[in-house]
Amino acid sequence: MEEQWVDDHAGPVVRPYAVTRGRARPVTGTFDLISLVTAIQSDVTPEAGLGPEHLAIVGLCQRMQSVAEIAAHLDLPVGTIRVLLGDLVARNLVQVREPRATGGLPDDSIFEAVINGLRAL
């Protein structure tokens, strides 16, 4: 009987673990889902420690992409993408722009709009 490496509900069982070499956290950065990633170099040659997924991220990020978009395009879990992005940032191959934090509560006009919208229902 052939061994099954894909779970019907969860998808690939081993692949994300193998892609990150067992790492669950990036070497640098935290990478929000809406963090924007841009490649710094357009032509990256395979080198020690970079797998095909790393190269795919650099290729994909020639145009700015969010972390969520990268995960969707490569069909990999977001946690795996975060680990790979940490590798690429450490090698100065990609630049990551974190989302700006809002300076507290929104102004009153937003609350008024929400209240008016609820009343209209």
Side-chain angles (χ1 to χ4, degrees):
M1 184 159 86
E2 198 174 303
E3 289 186 48
Q4 188 174 8
W5 291 99
V6 177
D7 181 273
D8 290 335
H9 301 288
V13 177
V14 176
R15 188 165 187 263
Y17 179 83
V19 167
T20 63
R21 286 171 276 161
R23 297 172 295 148
R25 297 203 188 330
V27 292
T28 183
T30 54
F31 314 117
D32 193 274
L33 283 176
I34 59 173
S35 297
L36 297 175
V37 183
T38 308
I40 294 174
Q41 298 178 17
S42 60
D43 190 25
V44 177
T45 57
E47 55 185 77
L50 289 183
E53 292 81 6
H54 289 100
L55 301 177
I57 291 171
V58 172
L60 185 63
C61 292
Q62 295 303 309
R63 292 185 52 211
M64 191 177 295
Q65 303 282 328
S66 71
V67 172
E69 289 173 312
I70 296 168
H73 282 294
L74 297 182
D75 196 27
L76 287 171
V78 173
T80 302
I81 295 299
R82 287 179 172 141
V83 171
L84 298 175
L85 283 174
D87 297 342
L88 294 171
V89 167
R91 291 175 185 247
N92 204 30
L93 295 173
V94 297
Q95 175 184 9
V96 180
R97 292 187 195 156
E98 298 295 335
R100 285 189 236 158
T102 58
L105 294 175
D107 62 18
D108 291 339
S109 65
I110 294 177
F111 290 119
E112 288 175 17
V114 170
I115 290 170
N116 291 335
L118 290 172
R119 284 184 183 147
L121 292 175

